Amino acid sequence: MESDEIEIAEPPVFEMEQKVRLRKLIRNDGTFPGIDIGTPLAKKGDVGYVVGIGTYLQMYYIYAVHFLEKGVVIGCRKKELEPVEEAS
């Protein structure tokens, strides 16, 4: 099960300023101030940019993703994101 995986034993999957897309709906789990718990913050398919990389419980990376269209920065786990391929 993924919950046993210690992500920080390896380098982060995503890089600063990397363009990413949400793989699932993100709701407020109580860590986003001023909004009720359970309120949707961003939806599947929304695109943003990694603006910070932190850790949680000394196990997981948390990627601060700036969703420009919504004007919010949301902390996301690796499993909630996928890279957006840039057209070359």
Side-chain angles (χ1 to χ4, degrees), residues 32 51 64-67 71-75:
F32 201 92
V51 295
V65 179
H66 186 193
F67 294 95
V72 296
V73 176
I74 301 172

Short mmCIF file of all heavy atoms in Angstrom, two decimals, residues 32 51 64-67 71-75:
data_model
loop_
_atom_site.label_atom_id
_atom_site.label_comp_id
_atom_site.label_asym_id
_atom_site.label_seq_id
_atom_site.Cartn_x
_atom_site.Cartn_y
_atom_site.Cartn_z
N PHE A 32 -6.69 24.67 4.55
CA PHE A 32 -6.84 25.89 3.76
C PHE A 32 -7.72 26.86 4.55
O PHE A 32 -8.91 26.61 4.74
CB PHE A 32 -7.47 25.56 2.40
CG PHE A 32 -7.22 26.62 1.35
CD1 PHE A 32 -6.12 26.51 0.52
CD2 PHE A 32 -8.06 27.70 1.23
CE1 PHE A 32 -5.87 27.48 -0.45
CE2 PHE A 32 -7.83 28.68 0.27
CZ PHE A 32 -6.72 28.57 -0.56
N VAL A 51 5.38 25.75 -7.04
CA VAL A 51 6.06 26.94 -6.52
C VAL A 51 6.77 26.67 -5.21
O VAL A 51 7.45 27.54 -4.67
CB VAL A 51 5.07 28.12 -6.36
CG1 VAL A 51 4.54 28.56 -7.72
CG2 VAL A 51 3.94 27.80 -5.40
N ALA A 64 3.56 22.61 -3.37
CA ALA A 64 2.72 23.80 -3.38
C ALA A 64 2.51 24.16 -4.85
O ALA A 64 3.48 24.47 -5.56
CB ALA A 64 3.40 24.94 -2.64
N VAL A 65 1.27 24.07 -5.30
CA VAL A 65 0.95 24.29 -6.71
C VAL A 65 0.11 25.56 -6.84
O VAL A 65 -0.93 25.69 -6.19
CB VAL A 65 0.21 23.08 -7.32
CG1 VAL A 65 -0.12 23.34 -8.78
CG2 VAL A 65 1.04 21.81 -7.17
N HIS A 66 0.60 26.50 -7.66
CA HIS A 66 -0.12 27.74 -7.91
C HIS A 66 -1.03 27.55 -9.12
O HIS A 66 -0.54 27.33 -10.23
CB HIS A 66 0.87 28.88 -8.16
CG HIS A 66 0.21 30.21 -8.29
ND1 HIS A 66 0.87 31.31 -8.77
CD2 HIS A 66 -1.04 30.64 -8.00
CE1 HIS A 66 0.05 32.34 -8.78
NE2 HIS A 66 -1.11 31.95 -8.32
N PHE A 67 -2.30 27.59 -8.87
CA PHE A 67 -3.30 27.49 -9.93
C PHE A 67 -3.65 28.92 -10.35
O PHE A 67 -4.41 29.61 -9.66
CB PHE A 67 -4.53 26.71 -9.46
CG PHE A 67 -4.21 25.27 -9.17
CD1 PHE A 67 -3.91 24.86 -7.88
CD2 PHE A 67 -4.18 24.34 -10.18
CE1 PHE A 67 -3.59 23.54 -7.61
CE2 PHE A 67 -3.87 23.01 -9.94
CZ PHE A 67 -3.57 22.62 -8.65
N GLY A 71 -6.16 31.57 -8.82
CA GLY A 71 -5.45 32.49 -7.94
C GLY A 71 -5.16 31.93 -6.57
O GLY A 71 -5.10 32.68 -5.60
N VAL A 72 -4.99 30.61 -6.48
CA VAL A 72 -4.72 29.97 -5.19
C VAL A 72 -3.49 29.07 -5.29
O VAL A 72 -3.14 28.59 -6.36
CB VAL A 72 -5.91 29.13 -4.68
CG1 VAL A 72 -7.12 30.00 -4.42
CG2 VAL A 72 -6.26 28.01 -5.64
N VAL A 73 -2.86 28.86 -4.14
CA VAL A 73 -1.78 27.90 -4.02
C VAL A 73 -2.28 26.79 -3.11
O VAL A 73 -2.74 27.04 -1.99
CB VAL A 73 -0.50 28.54 -3.43
CG1 VAL A 73 0.58 27.49 -3.22
CG2 VAL A 73 0.00 29.65 -4.34
N ILE A 74 -2.20 25.55 -3.60
CA ILE A 74 -2.73 24.40 -2.86
C ILE A 74 -1.63 23.36 -2.70
O ILE A 74 -0.91 23.08 -3.66
CB ILE A 74 -3.93 23.77 -3.62
CG1 ILE A 74 -5.05 24.80 -3.79
CG2 ILE A 74 -4.44 22.52 -2.89
CD1 ILE A 74 -6.17 24.34 -4.69
N GLY A 75 -1.52 22.80 -1.51
CA GLY A 75 -0.57 21.73 -1.26
C GLY A 75 -1.12 20.42 -1.79
O GLY A 75 -2.25 20.03 -1.48
#
